[in-house]
Amino acid sequence: MTAGPDGPSRSWPDSREAFIREELRLQALGLGITAVAFLPRRALPPFIARHPDASLRYGLDRAGLVMTAALAFGDGLGRDSDLPDPPQANPPPANPSPLAMIGRFARANWYAELVERLGRCAKAARAAPISAGFEAGKAGDWHRLANSGLPERPLALASGLGSAGRSGLLLVPGIGPGLVLGLLLVPIEALGISGEEALPSPEPRAAKPTAEEPALPAPGSICGSCRACVEACPTGALGEDGSFDRESCIQHWSSREGELPPRVRAAWRDSLYGCDLCTVSCPRFSGTAPFSPSRGILGAGLPAAAIAASSDEELRARLRGTALGMSWIAPEALRRNARLVIEKAGAHRGS
């Protein structure tokens, strides 16, 4: 029996893994995580072999169970997205700076929101075996991750969390593609797996992986004849067969400095960071989020002129803690994008 505040509360099942799965599932759904699925230890060797460096770094080789999780971002701001504009002391200028728009997935730091909730799930689920007198592993070994170096999308697909759409994005029932993905790694100790039973650690930078990831349905097999995402992409980055041309993707280029390919530049509209046309065009996109975020809120966009005139230091300070404050997003790329938004807005007014 496990002990609650008023004494024993439930019987420990035959399988400790089944018990922890149920604890995690209940905690996750109670915390607003939209959907979860599980991948048992026996399914992990192919991923460990294919991604040895990331497996060592994040402890996938020491995991006894992986919970994959999806958090819906909807319109990008949660239930309080229709906030009024702040009061203005002076009338707006006749030609205000255009708003450089942010993709819905980055309007708040949804990745940080998910990681924080996964941490709370881990804390509650870890308490269950401890209260029953079992080893649960160190708290720091319950790794919670989002946007990490692990193959999060393939792990989510293998766990049955969702299916790959024609766009290549994960489609989760009830959410569609409007989600961020995360992982919670449950250490082997929590499941009663001894060190002797642990899988051998991979060699870093293995030249030839010893196993292949499991075969999964081709992207788009769930979509039938729907081509909404393909038709919505202004640069033709998505193919009918589920193929993806990264060099033609606006989202790919929104964080990279340098000259934009002509096709991408011509199709650029008002984006500061992110392009989610393929996401919102999907008929499965729900457009709703379970709660209002509290981390890294940026809103739908930022004034293009202010971004274009900011130094690297100013941008890093302004965007710290947000989804645009990541190290791989070049400040010069954001300035270039803002300048392009201003240029396109001027061309539109002059036409």
Side-chain angles (χ1 to χ4, degrees), residues 73-87:
F73 56 71
D75 60 13
L77 294 177
R79 291 175 177 163
D80 294 333
S81 59
D82 296 325
L83 295 174
D85 293 330

Side-chain angles (χ1 to χ4, degrees), residues 6 14 67 93 100 110 114 134 136 166 207 233 243 274 277 298 305 325 337:
D6 301 316
D14 293 336
M67 183 175 81
W110 289 98
L114 179 53
F134 293 107
R166 197 180 304 279
C233 181
S243 59
L277 293 176
L298 291 170
N337 300 347

Side-chain angles (χ1 to χ4, degrees), residues 96 127 161 250 256 336 349:
L161 184 65
I250 290 176
R256 297 183 62 187
R336 177 205 61 205
R349 284 196 297 268

Side-chain angles (χ1 to χ4, degrees), residues 92 216 294:
L216 298 169
S294 61

Side-chain angles (χ1 to χ4, degrees), residues 181-320:
L181 280 174
L183 305 173
L184 176 61
L185 309 186
V186 180
I188 55 175
E189 292 84 0
L191 303 182
I193 302 174
S194 69
E196 289 71 25
E197 298 175 82
L199 299 174
S201 295
E203 291 294 328
R205 285 183 275 275
K208 293 183 178 180
T210 57
E212 294 293 329
E213 291 173 10
L216 298 169
S221 57
I222 193 177
C223 300
S225 60
C226 180
R227 304 174 60 259
C229 60
V230 175
E231 294 173 352
C233 181
T235 59
L238 301 178
E240 296 279 352
D241 58 353
S243 59
F244 172 56
D245 179 9
R246 186 178 299 275
E247 293 300 310
S248 296
C249 178
I250 290 176
Q251 162 59 28
H252 170 68
W253 281 99
S254 66
S255 62
R256 297 183 62 187
E257 57 185 323
E259 187 67 27
L260 296 174
R263 178 187 297 184
V264 173
R265 184 180 179 86
W268 204 279
R269 298 177 184 176
D270 56 0
S271 176
L272 174 66
Y273 178 77
C275 175
D276 50 17
L277 293 176
C278 59
T279 298
V280 299
S281 69
C282 178
R284 300 171 188 262
F285 176 65
S286 68
T288 59
F291 58 83
S292 298
S294 61
R295 295 170 178 266
I297 298 174
L298 291 170
L302 297 172
I307 297 298
S310 295
S311 66
D312 286 8
E313 293 73 20
E314 290 169 336
L315 282 176
R316 291 191 179 101
R318 170 66 179 85
L319 300 174
R320 187 174 295 117

